Amino acid sequence: MSWSNAYVGIPYANMGRSALGCDCWGLARLVYDAELNITLPAYTEGYASSEEQAEIASLIGQETSTSVWDRVEDPAAFDVLLFRHGRFESHVGIYVHQGVMLHMATDDQSKHERFDQGRWKARLAGYFRHSNVRLKGAL
């Protein structure tokens, strides 16, 4: 899990976008920027709190429906995993390896967790690969 270990233990911060604290999208932004040199949008103006699930789902839906993200069936390192949170697809994790993701646990910290079993398995909505990841040969 080499690259992902550097991101374990970052504290949760509502709308956080730095290693001092972040939410799930902030964690994805940190990883993509540091590991892949890809700047993802901040979305700090799109919603006021990570509790606004409908607004977050709308922003993520807009993001994944663009040509920048491709839905994939066989995930690889750095692919974004999209999960339902209640009625909305509003939580993201980052694929580390078979069955394991890096994600931000609300009101806790970033951690590795299995997504192929338990509560996450039933909530998984899809895997997405950023087009620049493929172009940079990061996989």
Side-chain angles (χ1 to χ4, degrees):
M1 291 189 231
S2 59
W3 65 267
S4 64
N5 288 340
Y7 302 96
V8 171
I10 295 172
Y12 172 81
N14 185 37
M15 300 199 51
R17 296 292 183 262
S18 77
L20 298 175
C22 56
D23 57 19
C24 67
W25 186 254
L27 181 62
R29 289 188 79 237
L30 282 175
V31 168
Y32 268 64
D33 185 49
E35 301 296 324
L36 303 171
N37 199 29
I38 296 172
T39 303
L40 299 177
Y43 293 134
T44 52
E45 296 85 30
Y47 60 100
S49 164
S50 60
E51 299 300 315
E52 297 177 7
Q53 299 299 314
E55 289 81 357
I56 295 169
S58 176
L59 291 170
I60 291 173
Q62 290 171 23
E63 188 72 21
T64 57
S65 67
T66 69
S67 60
V68 173
W69 294 95
D70 298 315
R71 182 181 281 269
V72 295
E73 295 301 318
D74 295 316
F78 302 108
D79 286 347
V80 169
L81 287 67
L82 180 61
F83 296 93
R84 285 181 297 284
H85 189 253
R87 298 182 309 151
F88 303 104
E89 294 176 351
S90 59
H91 182 67
V92 297
I94 304 154
Y95 188 91
V96 176
H97 65 78
Q98 183 66 40
V100 177
M101 68 173 164
L102 173 71
H103 79 116
M104 181 57 69
T106 305
D107 296 328
D108 190 7
Q109 64 183 2
S110 57
K111 58 179 66 177
H112 292 118
E113 196 165 350
R114 296 207 66 88
F115 66 86
D116 61 349
Q117 57 192 351
R119 68 183 180 135
W120 294 113
K121 182 177 181 178
R123 296 177 180 181
L124 182 62
Y127 310 107
F128 295 87
R129 184 167 301 146
H130 194 282
S131 60
N132 287 344
V133 171
R134 189 172 47 253
L135 295 175
K136 292 177 183 274
L139 298 177

